[in-house]
Amino acid sequence: MPKLTLLRRTCKEAAALVIAREDRELKLNDIVALKLHMMVCKSCPEFENQVLTMRAAMGKWRNDQGIEDAKP
């Protein structure tokens, strides 16, 4: 199998990596594959922005409610 195919991700896989990145550090090959996918896809960067917006809103809500974030 050519090495380039190891870096190809579908939109479904890219979305899963965007969400997984919220909970854990991605492996180097996943980071590279995600960046490559984001460069050629129109929809996934929009999804990533939505995830980041939701994360920021939840962080603001937690601060307003006096709830501490679970991440160290």
Side-chain angles (χ1 to χ4, degrees):
M1 178 176 355
K3 288 186 179 188
L4 186 57
T5 59
L6 295 175
L7 296 177
R8 286 188 188 158
R9 296 295 188 268
T10 64
C11 289
K12 185 175 183 177
E13 292 167 330
L17 289 173
V18 167
I19 296 199
R21 189 173 58 192
E22 295 292 311
D23 297 324
R24 63 178 169 85
E25 190 171 324
L26 299 179
K27 295 178 185 177
L28 181 59
N29 64 326
D30 287 333
I31 293 170
V32 172
L34 184 58
K35 286 185 182 204
L36 289 172
H37 182 86
M38 293 292 190
M39 290 174 20
V40 298
C41 183
K42 286 183 180 180
S43 300
C44 288
E46 291 177 15
F47 174 73
E48 180 183 36
N49 286 335
Q50 291 172 348
V51 169
L52 293 174
T53 299
M54 287 187 293
R55 183 173 84 178
M58 288 302 296
K60 184 175 178 351
W61 178 80
R62 283 186 186 112
N63 288 338
D64 290 346
Q65 299 297 316
I67 301 171
E68 291 187 28
D69 206 354
K71 288 185 177 182

